[in-house]
């Protein structure tokens, strides 16, 4: 993958739940409201904390569902966002241990980020939110996990693309690969899944200026082009580790200290990621994407080169970090919710906000190591 034009640049507790009994629809039994999953509100998220006896709200809700007979495999508690996990994911994101798209679910990206954070804090690796890990997470920030945001004229006006064709050849006919609607834009700006944006803002018009919505309180992703003289930003990344087994990317400083952790999609069956070491040649923000038929990507029938214009829905997203291995790079993606869960076309794919964060910090010539185990 070679983008062009090339621009090398270097409340303390959750509010007490009512205890009035509620009838279980299936069994007719009375189920205490304190055993039900907490409502996904800003107050519930900002006040979320671990339940007593070292459990957590997600586990408690799951146990309650099983007890009442409402727990089903297809709709387990892990499939629904909970206030506690939303808060934990926001805290991880702000601590530069990215859980990928913040969705409030106990998925693999969240569990891996939690484990990496625990180890960095000198604690045993764990994919569960233990009291010790929770204490360390809370100590990283005392700011609210979610906050209000009011939509501006620019937010609602876009411009937005009607539809992004699934085939690359058809994408080449578009003048730009922008967002398709405000929900997609807002989700990416605030590092969230689109479903979580909707869940936090039921019934609110996201295409109307002046609408106040609830979003993750993270550093919003910008689409501006940083000036070369301002890069790389501190702390500078001098080394990158790409772990093909655990599907993650780690950014380290000159002293070997971990600066940031990102989930990643790495390589594919048709174009496996390389092994060994290479280096960063440069960075391109807002890149175009040129497809070469020698890549022979599955589903692409074109036998000639073609170019797809820039934009967040471009195949390489909003940034391309060029590596010294021809046609390989670390880049963004038009599908942030699939990062770490599906294959890449052969390169290293991060969410757009994580790719941009890495790109603003990485130094040209930084060492890149591919780890196979």
């Amino acid at each position: 993958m070679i983008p062009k034009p090339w621009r090398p640049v270097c409340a303390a507790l959750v509010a007490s739940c009512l205890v009035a009994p509620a009838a279980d629809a299936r069994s007719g039994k009375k189920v205490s409201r304190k055993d039900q999953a907490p409502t996904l509100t800003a107050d519930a998220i900002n006040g979320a904390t671990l339940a007593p006896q070292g459990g957590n709200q997600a586990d408690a809700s799951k146990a309650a569902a099983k007890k009442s007979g409402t727990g089903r495999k297809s709709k387990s508690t892990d499939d629904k966002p909970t206030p506690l996990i939303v808060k934990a994911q926001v805290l991880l994101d702000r601590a530069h241990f990215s859980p990928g798209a913040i969705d409030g679910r106990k998925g693999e990206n969240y569990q891996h980020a939690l484990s990496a954070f625990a180890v960095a804090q000198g604690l045993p690796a764990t994919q569960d939110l233990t009291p010790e890990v929770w204490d360390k997470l809370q100590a990283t920030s005392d700011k609210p996990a979610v906050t209000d945001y009011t939509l501006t004229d620019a937010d609602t006006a876009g411009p937005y693309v009607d539809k992004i064709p699934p085939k690359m050849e058809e994408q080449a006919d578009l003048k730009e690969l922008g967002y398709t609607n405000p929900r997609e834009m807002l989700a990416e700006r605030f590092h969230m899944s689109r479903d979580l944006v909707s869940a936090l803002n039921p019934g609110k018009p996201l295409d109307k200026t002046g609408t106040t919505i609830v979003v993750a309180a993270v550093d919003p992703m910008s689409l501006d082009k940083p000036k070369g003289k301002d890069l790389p930003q501190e702390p500078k990344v001098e080394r990158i580790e790409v772990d093909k087994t655990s599907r993650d990317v780690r950014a380290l400083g000159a002293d070997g200290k971990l600066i940031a952790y990102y989930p990643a999609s790495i390589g594919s069956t048709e174009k496996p990621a390389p092994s060994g070491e290479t280096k960063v040649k440069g960075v391109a923000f807002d890149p175009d994407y040129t497809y070469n038929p020698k890549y022979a990507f599955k589903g692409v029938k074109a036998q000639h080169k073609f170019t797809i214009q820039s934009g967040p829905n471009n195949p390489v997203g909003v940034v391309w970090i060029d590596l010294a291995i021809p046609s390989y790079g670390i880049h963004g993606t038009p599908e942030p919710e699939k990062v770490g869960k599906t294959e890449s076309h052969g390169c290293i794919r991060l969410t757009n906000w994580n790719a941009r964060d890495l790109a603003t910090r990485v130094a040209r010539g930084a060492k890149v190591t591919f780890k196979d185990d």
Side-chain angles (χ1 to χ4, degrees):
M1 304 179 188
I2 304 178
K4 70 175 188 179
W6 177 244
R7 308 176 184 90
V9 294
C10 299
L13 299 174
V14 176
S16 299
C17 297
L18 296 176
V19 294
D24 182 294
R26 293 183 63 199
S27 66
K29 297 179 181 179
K30 300 294 184 179
V31 180
S32 173
R33 292 188 186 276
K34 67 181 181 179
D35 290 330
Q36 297 177 352
T39 303
L40 200 66
T41 64
D43 286 344
I45 294 169
N46 288 331
T49 191
L50 279 176
Q53 289 84 45
N56 63 47
Q57 292 171 350
D59 292 338
S61 300
K62 190 173 182 180
K66 183 177 180 180
K67 182 177 180 181
S68 65
T70 60
R72 292 175 182 159
K73 214 169 191 180
S74 61
K75 294 185 178 180
S76 68
T77 302
D78 287 352
D79 292 334
K80 298 179 180 180
T82 65
L84 181 65
I85 295 182
V86 171
K87 184 174 183 178
Q89 288 177 337
V90 171
L91 290 173
L92 284 167
D93 184 286
R94 292 203 300 229
H96 303 291
F97 287 82
S98 175
I102 297 169
D103 59 7
R105 298 184 175 98
K106 195 177 179 181
E108 285 189 0
N109 287 344
Y110 161 70
Q111 292 175 314
H112 292 170
L114 199 64
S115 183
F117 175 81
V119 172
Q121 295 295 317
L123 298 172
T126 177
Q127 295 187 353
D128 293 316
L129 191 57
T130 65
E132 294 79 13
V133 174
W134 180 239
D135 287 344
K136 292 288 187 180
L137 262 181
Q138 287 189 298
T140 63
S141 175
D142 59 359
K143 297 179 181 179
V146 294
T147 189
D148 287 344
Y149 175 76
T150 301
L151 302 184
T152 67
D153 287 337
D155 294 331
T156 57
Y160 294 103
V161 180
D162 290 336
K163 182 181 180 181
I164 304 295
K167 295 184 178 180
M168 283 188 172
E169 298 99 318
E170 296 174 352
Q171 292 175 10
D173 295 331
L174 299 181
K175 293 182 179 180
E176 64 176 343
L177 275 291
Y179 295 114
T180 57
N181 54 58
R183 186 178 77 141
E184 182 186 25
M185 177 275 293
L186 292 164
E188 190 151 285
R189 180 185 294 177
F190 296 104
H191 310 184
M192 303 162 66
S193 72
R194 286 168 289 183
D195 284 348
L196 185 61
V197 171
S198 297
L200 289 175
N201 302 284
K204 292 187 177 181
L206 301 180
D207 58 353
K208 183 178 179 180
T209 299
T211 301
T212 298
I213 62 174
V214 176
V215 298
V218 297
D219 289 334
M221 187 188 81
S222 171
L223 292 177
D224 67 327
K225 298 178 184 178
K227 296 180 180 179
K229 65 182 180 64
D230 298 327
L231 299 173
Q233 298 174 3
E234 297 289 346
K236 296 178 183 179
V237 174
E238 298 286 353
R239 184 159 60 91
I240 297 171
E241 292 182 352
V242 180
D243 195 317
K244 294 190 283 185
T245 301
S246 58
R247 301 193 303 278
D248 55 50
V249 168
R250 297 168 187 255
L252 303 99
D255 59 358
K257 183 178 180 181
L258 183 64
I259 294 174
Y261 168 96
Y262 314 106
S265 290
I266 304 169
S268 65
T269 302
E270 58 197 15
K271 190 177 181 183
S275 298
E277 296 182 352
T278 185
K279 63 181 179 179
V280 171
K281 291 179 62 179
V283 175
F285 289 91
D286 196 28
D288 290 346
Y289 172 83
T290 296
Y291 176 77
N292 190 322
K294 71 178 183 180
Y295 299 155
F297 288 160
K298 186 182 298 184
V300 182
K301 298 180 179 180
Q303 297 300 310
H304 61 278
K305 288 185 178 181
F306 58 83
T307 298
I308 299 175
Q309 299 303 311
S310 63
N313 273 311
N314 178 285
V316 295
V318 300
V319 68
W320 170 272
I321 301 173
D322 197 41
L323 302 183
I325 302 172
S327 81
Y328 279 93
I330 302 172
H331 60 82
T333 178
E335 299 179 300
E337 292 162 39
K338 293 184 178 181
V339 166
K341 304 171 186 177
T342 59
E343 292 185 333
S344 170
H345 276 307
C347 295
I348 302 94
R349 182 186 303 173
L350 310 178
T351 66
N352 274 338
W353 57 89
N354 286 338
R356 184 179 170 90
D357 180 66
L358 178 58
T360 58
R361 302 181 191 283
V362 70
R364 188 181 301 184
K367 180 180 177 181
V368 180
T369 303
F370 288 87
K371 301 176 64 177
D372 293 289
D373 50 33

PDB file of all heavy atoms in Angstrom, residues 210-239:
ATOM      1  N   GLY A 210     -27.010  22.560  17.737  1.00  0.00           N
ATOM      2  CA  GLY A 210     -27.510  22.923  19.064  1.00  0.00           C
ATOM      3  C   GLY A 210     -27.886  21.740  19.926  1.00  0.00           C
ATOM      4  O   GLY A 210     -28.108  21.903  21.133  1.00  0.00           O
ATOM      5  N   THR A 211     -27.952  20.547  19.345  1.00  0.00           N
ATOM      6  CA  THR A 211     -28.242  19.353  20.130  1.00  0.00           C
ATOM      7  C   THR A 211     -27.086  19.077  21.088  1.00  0.00           C
ATOM      8  O   THR A 211     -25.928  19.064  20.682  1.00  0.00           O
ATOM      9  CB  THR A 211     -28.439  18.122  19.223  1.00  0.00           C
ATOM     10  OG1 THR A 211     -29.509  18.362  18.321  1.00  0.00           O
ATOM     11  CG2 THR A 211     -28.750  16.881  20.054  1.00  0.00           C
ATOM     12  N   THR A 212     -27.385  18.865  22.356  1.00  0.00           N
ATOM     13  CA  THR A 212     -26.358  18.548  23.345  1.00  0.00           C
ATOM     14  C   THR A 212     -26.363  17.046  23.588  1.00  0.00           C
ATOM     15  O   THR A 212     -27.402  16.465  23.917  1.00  0.00           O
ATOM     16  CB  THR A 212     -26.601  19.288  24.662  1.00  0.00           C
ATOM     17  OG1 THR A 212     -26.532  20.702  24.425  1.00  0.00           O
ATOM     18  CG2 THR A 212     -25.546  18.920  25.703  1.00  0.00           C
ATOM     19  N   ILE A 213     -25.225  16.434  23.395  1.00  0.00           N
ATOM     20  CA  ILE A 213     -25.112  14.986  23.523  1.00  0.00           C
ATOM     21  C   ILE A 213     -24.043  14.617  24.551  1.00  0.00           C
ATOM     22  O   ILE A 213     -23.252  15.455  24.969  1.00  0.00           O
ATOM     23  CB  ILE A 213     -24.764  14.329  22.168  1.00  0.00           C
ATOM     24  CG1 ILE A 213     -23.392  14.827  21.669  1.00  0.00           C
ATOM     25  CG2 ILE A 213     -25.862  14.604  21.145  1.00  0.00           C
ATOM     26  CD1 ILE A 213     -22.900  14.116  20.420  1.00  0.00           C
ATOM     27  N   VAL A 214     -24.043  13.345  24.932  1.00  0.00           N
ATOM     28  CA  VAL A 214     -23.046  12.812  25.859  1.00  0.00           C
ATOM     29  C   VAL A 214     -21.985  12.072  25.048  1.00  0.00           C
ATOM     30  O   VAL A 214     -22.314  11.245  24.198  1.00  0.00           O
ATOM     31  CB  VAL A 214     -23.691  11.847  26.877  1.00  0.00           C
ATOM     32  CG1 VAL A 214     -22.621  11.228  27.775  1.00  0.00           C
ATOM     33  CG2 VAL A 214     -24.726  12.581  27.727  1.00  0.00           C
ATOM     34  N   VAL A 215     -20.720  12.383  25.308  1.00  0.00           N
ATOM     35  CA  VAL A 215     -19.617  11.747  24.590  1.00  0.00           C
ATOM     36  C   VAL A 215     -18.520  11.362  25.574  1.00  0.00           C
ATOM     37  O   VAL A 215     -18.488  11.846  26.707  1.00  0.00           O
ATOM     38  CB  VAL A 215     -19.027  12.680  23.512  1.00  0.00           C
ATOM     39  CG1 VAL A 215     -20.074  13.023  22.461  1.00  0.00           C
ATOM     40  CG2 VAL A 215     -18.462  13.953  24.144  1.00  0.00           C
ATOM     41  N   ALA A 216     -17.621  10.501  25.135  1.00  0.00           N
ATOM     42  CA  ALA A 216     -16.460  10.145  25.951  1.00  0.00           C
ATOM     43  C   ALA A 216     -15.567  11.374  26.128  1.00  0.00           C
ATOM     44  O   ALA A 216     -15.295  12.092  25.167  1.00  0.00           O
ATOM     45  CB  ALA A 216     -15.682   9.011  25.294  1.00  0.00           C
ATOM     46  N   ALA A 217     -15.113  11.596  27.341  1.00  0.00           N
ATOM     47  CA  ALA A 217     -14.265  12.762  27.636  1.00  0.00           C
ATOM     48  C   ALA A 217     -12.804  12.420  27.356  1.00  0.00           C
ATOM     49  O   ALA A 217     -11.996  12.213  28.262  1.00  0.00           O
ATOM     50  CB  ALA A 217     -14.457  13.199  29.082  1.00  0.00           C
ATOM     51  N   VAL A 218     -12.485  12.352  26.069  1.00  0.00           N
ATOM     52  CA  VAL A 218     -11.122  12.057  25.619  1.00  0.00           C
ATOM     53  C   VAL A 218     -10.650  13.226  24.762  1.00  0.00           C
ATOM     54  O   VAL A 218     -11.428  14.110  24.408  1.00  0.00           O
ATOM     55  CB  VAL A 218     -11.072  10.751  24.799  1.00  0.00           C
ATOM     56  CG1 VAL A 218     -11.480   9.562  25.668  1.00  0.00           C
ATOM     57  CG2 VAL A 218     -11.980  10.846  23.577  1.00  0.00           C
ATOM     58  N   ASP A 219      -9.368  13.220  24.396  1.00  0.00           N
ATOM     59  CA  ASP A 219      -8.863  14.242  23.484  1.00  0.00           C
ATOM     60  C   ASP A 219      -9.470  13.981  22.108  1.00  0.00           C
ATOM     61  O   ASP A 219      -9.156  12.958  21.480  1.00  0.00           O
ATOM     62  CB  ASP A 219      -7.331  14.189  23.398  1.00  0.00           C
ATOM     63  CG  ASP A 219      -6.669  14.687  24.668  1.00  0.00           C
ATOM     64  OD1 ASP A 219      -7.299  15.496  25.382  1.00  0.00           O
ATOM     65  OD2 ASP A 219      -5.531  14.272  24.939  1.00  0.00           O
ATOM     66  N   PRO A 220     -10.327  14.873  21.614  1.00  0.00           N
ATOM     67  CA  PRO A 220     -10.998  14.624  20.330  1.00  0.00           C
ATOM     68  C   PRO A 220     -10.001  14.506  19.184  1.00  0.00           C
ATOM     69  O   PRO A 220      -9.001  15.214  19.142  1.00  0.00           O
ATOM     70  CB  PRO A 220     -11.889  15.865  20.144  1.00  0.00           C
ATOM     71  CG  PRO A 220     -12.034  16.450  21.518  1.00  0.00           C
ATOM     72  CD  PRO A 220     -10.731  16.162  22.204  1.00  0.00           C
ATOM     73  N   MET A 221     -10.279  13.585  18.263  1.00  0.00           N
ATOM     74  CA  MET A 221      -9.418  13.428  17.105  1.00  0.00           C
ATOM     75  C   MET A 221      -9.617  14.597  16.156  1.00  0.00           C
ATOM     76  O   MET A 221     -10.739  14.951  15.803  1.00  0.00           O
ATOM     77  CB  MET A 221      -9.725  12.128  16.364  1.00  0.00           C
ATOM     78  CG  MET A 221      -8.737  11.833  15.242  1.00  0.00           C
ATOM     79  SD  MET A 221      -9.210  10.428  14.206  1.00  0.00           S
ATOM     80  CE  MET A 221     -10.408  11.187  13.118  1.00  0.00           C
ATOM     81  N   SER A 222      -8.518  15.178  15.731  1.00  0.00           N
ATOM     82  CA  SER A 222      -8.553  16.277  14.772  1.00  0.00           C
ATOM     83  C   SER A 222      -8.224  15.758  13.383  1.00  0.00           C
ATOM     84  O   SER A 222      -7.583  14.715  13.230  1.00  0.00           O
ATOM     85  CB  SER A 222      -7.544  17.347  15.185  1.00  0.00           C
ATOM     86  OG  SER A 222      -7.403  18.327  14.188  1.00  0.00           O
ATOM     87  N   LEU A 223      -8.661  16.483  12.368  1.00  0.00           N
ATOM     88  CA  LEU A 223      -8.342  16.111  10.988  1.00  0.00           C
ATOM     89  C   LEU A 223      -7.414  17.125  10.333  1.00  0.00           C
ATOM     90  O   LEU A 223      -7.190  17.072   9.125  1.00  0.00           O
ATOM     91  CB  LEU A 223      -9.635  15.982  10.165  1.00  0.00           C
ATOM     92  CG  LEU A 223     -10.556  14.815  10.529  1.00  0.00           C
ATOM     93  CD1 LEU A 223     -11.822  14.851   9.680  1.00  0.00           C
ATOM     94  CD2 LEU A 223      -9.850  13.482  10.370  1.00  0.00           C
ATOM     95  N   ASP A 224      -6.865  18.027  11.121  1.00  0.00           N
ATOM     96  CA  ASP A 224      -5.955  19.017  10.551  1.00  0.00           C
ATOM     97  C   ASP A 224      -4.607  18.364  10.228  1.00  0.00           C
ATOM     98  O   ASP A 224      -4.318  17.258  10.664  1.00  0.00           O
ATOM     99  CB  ASP A 224      -5.746  20.192  11.501  1.00  0.00           C
ATOM    100  CG  ASP A 224      -4.987  19.785  12.761  1.00  0.00           C
ATOM    101  OD1 ASP A 224      -5.157  18.637  13.204  1.00  0.00           O
ATOM    102  OD2 ASP A 224      -4.213  20.599  13.285  1.00  0.00           O
ATOM    103  N   LYS A 225      -3.797  19.058   9.437  1.00  0.00           N
ATOM    104  CA  LYS A 225      -2.484  18.555   9.057  1.00  0.00           C
ATOM    105  C   LYS A 225      -1.421  19.265   9.890  1.00  0.00           C
ATOM    106  O   LYS A 225      -1.189  20.466   9.711  1.00  0.00           O
ATOM    107  CB  LYS A 225      -2.232  18.790   7.570  1.00  0.00           C
ATOM    108  CG  LYS A 225      -3.215  18.077   6.673  1.00  0.00           C
ATOM    109  CD  LYS A 225      -2.947  18.398   5.210  1.00  0.00           C
ATOM    110  CE  LYS A 225      -3.982  17.760   4.305  1.00  0.00           C
ATOM    111  NZ  LYS A 225      -3.770  18.100   2.878  1.00  0.00           N
ATOM    112  N   PRO A 226      -0.783  18.554  10.819  1.00  0.00           N
ATOM    113  CA  PRO A 226       0.257  19.185  11.640  1.00  0.00           C
ATOM    114  C   PRO A 226       1.403  19.702  10.781  1.00  0.00           C
ATOM    115  O   PRO A 226       1.721  19.127   9.738  1.00  0.00           O
ATOM    116  CB  PRO A 226       0.724  18.033  12.551  1.00  0.00           C
ATOM    117  CG  PRO A 226      -0.386  17.036  12.516  1.00  0.00           C
ATOM    118  CD  PRO A 226      -0.973  17.141  11.149  1.00  0.00           C
ATOM    119  N   LYS A 227       2.018  20.785  11.216  1.00  0.00           N
ATOM    120  CA  LYS A 227       3.156  21.331  10.485  1.00  0.00           C
ATOM    121  C   LYS A 227       4.415  20.538  10.834  1.00  0.00           C
ATOM    122  O   LYS A 227       4.604  20.126  11.973  1.00  0.00           O
ATOM    123  CB  LYS A 227       3.336  22.802  10.840  1.00  0.00           C
ATOM    124  CG  LYS A 227       2.164  23.675  10.413  1.00  0.00           C
ATOM    125  CD  LYS A 227       2.386  25.126  10.788  1.00  0.00           C
ATOM    126  CE  LYS A 227       1.188  25.987  10.347  1.00  0.00           C
ATOM    127  NZ  LYS A 227       1.374  27.414  10.728  1.00  0.00           N
ATOM    128  N   GLY A 228       5.242  20.344   9.838  1.00  0.00           N
ATOM    129  CA  GLY A 228       6.458  19.564  10.030  1.00  0.00           C
ATOM    130  C   GLY A 228       7.326  20.063  11.152  1.00  0.00           C
ATOM    131  O   GLY A 228       7.928  19.275  11.885  1.00  0.00           O
ATOM    132  N   LYS A 229       7.384  21.383  11.334  1.00  0.00           N
ATOM    133  CA  LYS A 229       8.248  21.947  12.366  1.00  0.00           C
ATOM    134  C   LYS A 229       7.760  21.609  13.774  1.00  0.00           C
ATOM    135  O   LYS A 229       8.513  21.719  14.741  1.00  0.00           O
ATOM    136  CB  LYS A 229       8.338  23.461  12.208  1.00  0.00           C
ATOM    137  CG  LYS A 229       7.032  24.214  12.427  1.00  0.00           C
ATOM    138  CD  LYS A 229       7.219  25.703  12.205  1.00  0.00           C
ATOM    139  CE  LYS A 229       5.932  26.490  12.423  1.00  0.00           C
ATOM    140  NZ  LYS A 229       5.455  26.404  13.810  1.00  0.00           N
ATOM    141  N   ASP A 230       6.497  21.214  13.889  1.00  0.00           N
ATOM    142  CA  ASP A 230       5.928  20.874  15.195  1.00  0.00           C
ATOM    143  C   ASP A 230       6.026  19.386  15.509  1.00  0.00           C
ATOM    144  O   ASP A 230       5.552  18.940  16.559  1.00  0.00           O
ATOM    145  CB  ASP A 230       4.458  21.303  15.245  1.00  0.00           C
ATOM    146  CG  ASP A 230       4.271  22.801  15.084  1.00  0.00           C
ATOM    147  OD1 ASP A 230       5.152  23.555  15.545  1.00  0.00           O
ATOM    148  OD2 ASP A 230       3.256  23.212  14.489  1.00  0.00           O
ATOM    149  N   LEU A 231       6.624  18.627  14.613  1.00  0.00           N
ATOM    150  CA  LEU A 231       6.699  17.173  14.789  1.00  0.00           C
ATOM    151  C   LEU A 231       8.144  16.698  14.916  1.00  0.00           C
ATOM    152  O   LEU A 231       9.047  17.328  14.363  1.00  0.00           O
ATOM    153  CB  LEU A 231       6.037  16.483  13.592  1.00  0.00           C
ATOM    154  CG  LEU A 231       4.561  16.779  13.380  1.00  0.00           C
ATOM    155  CD1 LEU A 231       4.074  16.177  12.080  1.00  0.00           C
ATOM    156  CD2 LEU A 231       3.724  16.250  14.537  1.00  0.00           C
ATOM    157  N   PRO A 232       8.381  15.589  15.611  1.00  0.00           N
ATOM    158  CA  PRO A 232       7.407  14.845  16.404  1.00  0.00           C
ATOM    159  C   PRO A 232       7.117  15.521  17.743  1.00  0.00           C
ATOM    160  O   PRO A 232       7.969  16.208  18.288  1.00  0.00           O
ATOM    161  CB  PRO A 232       8.083  13.488  16.613  1.00  0.00           C
ATOM    162  CG  PRO A 232       9.544  13.811  16.594  1.00  0.00           C
ATOM    163  CD  PRO A 232       9.706  14.922  15.605  1.00  0.00           C
ATOM    164  N   GLN A 233       5.926  15.308  18.236  1.00  0.00           N
ATOM    165  CA  GLN A 233       5.526  15.868  19.524  1.00  0.00           C
ATOM    166  C   GLN A 233       6.077  15.013  20.668  1.00  0.00           C
ATOM    167  O   GLN A 233       6.447  13.855  20.483  1.00  0.00           O
ATOM    168  CB  GLN A 233       4.003  15.948  19.606  1.00  0.00           C
ATOM    169  CG  GLN A 233       3.373  16.846  18.554  1.00  0.00           C
ATOM    170  CD  GLN A 233       1.856  16.800  18.559  1.00  0.00           C
ATOM    171  OE1 GLN A 233       1.238  16.131  19.391  1.00  0.00           O
ATOM    172  NE2 GLN A 233       1.240  17.504  17.630  1.00  0.00           N
ATOM    173  N   GLU A 234       6.109  15.619  21.846  1.00  0.00           N
ATOM    174  CA  GLU A 234       6.536  14.875  23.037  1.00  0.00           C
ATOM    175  C   GLU A 234       5.358  14.115  23.634  1.00  0.00           C
ATOM    176  O   GLU A 234       4.221  14.589  23.584  1.00  0.00           O
ATOM    177  CB  GLU A 234       7.094  15.853  24.080  1.00  0.00           C
ATOM    178  CG  GLU A 234       8.348  16.601  23.636  1.00  0.00           C
ATOM    179  CD  GLU A 234       9.573  15.703  23.568  1.00  0.00           C
ATOM    180  OE1 GLU A 234       9.509  14.584  24.111  1.00  0.00           O
ATOM    181  OE2 GLU A 234      10.571  16.137  22.978  1.00  0.00           O
ATOM    182  N   PRO A 235       5.604  12.952  24.234  1.00  0.00           N
ATOM    183  CA  PRO A 235       6.881  12.239  24.245  1.00  0.00           C
ATOM    184  C   PRO A 235       7.162  11.563  22.903  1.00  0.00           C
ATOM    185  O   PRO A 235       6.263  10.987  22.302  1.00  0.00           O
ATOM    186  CB  PRO A 235       6.683  11.204  25.356  1.00  0.00           C
ATOM    187  CG  PRO A 235       5.210  10.932  25.351  1.00  0.00           C
ATOM    188  CD  PRO A 235       4.551  12.233  25.003  1.00  0.00           C
ATOM    189  N   LYS A 236       8.401  11.655  22.459  1.00  0.00           N
ATOM    190  CA  LYS A 236       8.778  11.122  21.151  1.00  0.00           C
ATOM    191  C   LYS A 236       8.891   9.599  21.175  1.00  0.00           C
ATOM    192  O   LYS A 236       9.409   9.018  22.124  1.00  0.00           O
ATOM    193  CB  LYS A 236      10.107  11.725  20.708  1.00  0.00           C
ATOM    194  CG  LYS A 236      10.054  13.230  20.480  1.00  0.00           C
ATOM    195  CD  LYS A 236      11.415  13.767  20.077  1.00  0.00           C
ATOM    196  CE  LYS A 236      11.380  15.281  19.909  1.00  0.00           C
ATOM    197  NZ  LYS A 236      12.719  15.822  19.529  1.00  0.00           N
ATOM    198  N   VAL A 237       8.412   8.991  20.109  1.00  0.00           N
ATOM    199  CA  VAL A 237       8.490   7.539  19.954  1.00  0.00           C
ATOM    200  C   VAL A 237       9.730   7.202  19.134  1.00  0.00           C
ATOM    201  O   VAL A 237       9.856   7.623  17.989  1.00  0.00           O
ATOM    202  CB  VAL A 237       7.231   6.985  19.252  1.00  0.00           C
ATOM    203  CG1 VAL A 237       7.385   5.492  18.959  1.00  0.00           C
ATOM    204  CG2 VAL A 237       5.996   7.241  20.112  1.00  0.00           C
ATOM    205  N   GLU A 238      10.643   6.465  19.738  1.00  0.00           N
ATOM    206  CA  GLU A 238      11.888   6.090  19.065  1.00  0.00           C
ATOM    207  C   GLU A 238      11.885   4.625  18.638  1.00  0.00           C
ATOM    208  O   GLU A 238      12.720   4.209  17.843  1.00  0.00           O
ATOM    209  CB  GLU A 238      13.076   6.339  19.994  1.00  0.00           C
ATOM    210  CG  GLU A 238      13.271   7.796  20.393  1.00  0.00           C
ATOM    211  CD  GLU A 238      13.847   8.635  19.257  1.00  0.00           C
ATOM    212  OE1 GLU A 238      14.210   8.059  18.219  1.00  0.00           O
ATOM    213  OE2 GLU A 238      13.926   9.870  19.417  1.00  0.00           O
ATOM    214  N   ARG A 239      10.942   3.852  19.173  1.00  0.00           N
ATOM    215  CA  ARG A 239      10.895   2.427  18.823  1.00  0.00           C
ATOM    216  C   ARG A 239       9.446   1.947  18.838  1.00  0.00           C
ATOM    217  O   ARG A 239       8.653   2.361  19.692  1.00  0.00           O
ATOM    218  CB  ARG A 239      11.744   1.606  19.799  1.00  0.00           C
ATOM    219  CG  ARG A 239      11.834   0.123  19.457  1.00  0.00           C
ATOM    220  CD  ARG A 239      13.062  -0.506  20.112  1.00  0.00           C
ATOM    221  NE  ARG A 239      13.037  -0.408  21.567  1.00  0.00           N
ATOM    222  CZ  ARG A 239      12.504  -1.347  22.357  1.00  0.00           C
ATOM    223  NH1 ARG A 239      11.954  -2.427  21.817  1.00  0.00           N
ATOM    224  NH2 ARG A 239      12.550  -1.204  23.663  1.00  0.00           N
TER     225      ARG A 239
END
